[in-house]
Amino acid sequence: MFRKRSNAPVTDRTVVADGGPPSVAEKPWYGPTRAITTLIAIAVAGLLVWLATQVSDKTTGGYWAEYGLLAGAGLVLAFSQLLGGWTKFGVPRMSGSVFLLAFIPALIVGGWIVLFHQPHPNWFRNHIRSWSGDIGVTGFVRDMSDMLVALSLGLGVVFGYIFDTTGPRLSRTAATRDVSTTRAAPAPADRAATDAPMTAERGVSTPGPAERGAVTTPQRSAPEE
C-alpha cells in the first residue's frame, strides 16, 4: 500500500565536453582540479606582485611596468577560473558585451586615475590633469593615489572576465523514455448488434396507398333461423 517514492532525477542527456566523459562537473576530480589550478594562479600572481616591487616607479617606464605587472596578476587570477573549469570546458570565446559594457568603462576610470599620477609630465598626463580640473574631479583623483595597486589589479581581473567558453556540448542518449500514455485497444464492434436497427427497418413493409385506403369490414355470419 505504502511504497517508498524515489526522488532521484531522471536524466535523458549526456554531457560531452570536447570528447570528455559525461557529466564532467560531477566527477570527483573536478573540484580538486579547479582548486589546484587556482593555487597555481595564486602563486603566479604572487610572483608578478613581487616583481612589481622590484621595479622603480620613479621613471615613466618603470611606473607603467610596475602597474602593468599588477594588472597581469589580476588577469592570471581570472584566467585560473576559466582554465580550471569555471565554465566546464568548451571552445574559448570573447564576450563583446562584457568588453564594451564592463571593461571599457572600468578602463577609462582606472586608466584616468593611473595616468593622472604618472611621475613625469607628458602630453597625456597634462591633458588628463587639465580635464580633471575642468570637470571638478581633481580632488577625488588625488585621493585615489594610495589605491593605484588595487586599481591596477582590478583592471586585470575585469579584463579576464571578458573571456569565456561555450560550455559543454549536449547530446541526447540513444535510450529515450516513451512518455506517451498507453491506451487500451478498443473492443471489436459487434456487427450483428450494429446492423440490427437497419435489419429491423428493412423487415417492416410500408403500406401502399391502396392498402391505406382499404377498410376491412369484419365478416358477419348469417343469422340462424
Side-chain angles (χ1 to χ4, degrees):
M1 179 178 179
F2 299 98
R3 292 183 300 177
K4 184 177 180 180
R5 184 176 179 180
S6 176
N7 295 325
V10 178
T11 58
D12 59 346
R13 296 187 300 176
T14 300
V15 180
V16 181
D18 292 341
S23 301
V24 177
E26 299 178 359
K27 294 295 182 180
W29 50 262
Y30 176 78
T33 300
R34 183 181 178 189
I36 294 174
T37 306
T38 304
L39 179 61
I40 294 174
I42 292 173
V44 175
L47 177 62
L48 293 176
V49 171
W50 176 78
L51 290 176
T53 63
Q54 305 302 309
V55 178
S56 175
D57 60 351
K58 302 303 180 181
T59 62
T60 300
Y63 176 85
W64 286 106
E66 176 181 348
Y67 293 109
L69 288 171
L70 293 173
L75 179 62
V76 169
L77 293 176
F79 268 1
S80 69
Q81 302 305 298
L82 184 70
L83 301 177
W86 185 17
T87 49
K88 303 175 184 64
F89 303 99
V91 180
R93 66 183 179 89
M94 176 179 173
S95 175
S97 299
V98 178
F99 178 78
L100 294 176
L101 302 179
F103 176 70
I104 292 300
L107 179 62
I108 292 175
V109 176
W112 185 294
I113 296 173
V114 175
L115 189 57
F116 182 94
H117 293 281
Q118 181 179 285
H120 298 289
N122 57 15
W123 185 89
F124 297 101
R125 196 196 77 164
N126 294 340
H127 279 78
I128 288 296
R129 293 198 171 191
S130 175
W131 294 339
S132 298
D134 294 339
I135 61 179
V137 296
T138 301
F140 169 77
V141 176
R142 289 187 185 276
D143 294 339
M144 295 296 290
S145 61
D146 295 334
M147 298 291 109
L148 295 179
V149 173
L151 286 174
S152 301
L153 189 70
L155 284 176
V157 172
V158 175
F159 181 73
Y161 285 164
I162 70 176
F163 297 97
D164 199 357
T165 59
T166 57
R169 293 179 289 107
L170 303 179
S171 61
R172 293 281 179 178
T173 57
T176 304
R177 289 192 173 184
D178 186 10
V179 296
S180 60
T181 58
T182 304
R183 298 182 179 179
D190 188 357
R191 295 190 59 85
T194 304
D195 297 339
M198 299 182 62
T199 305
E201 292 180 0
R202 288 196 297 267
V204 176
S205 60
T206 304
E211 295 179 355
R212 287 198 299 267
V215 178
T216 305
T217 55
Q219 185 178 3
R220 297 181 179 178
S221 58
E224 295 181 357
E225 296 179 356

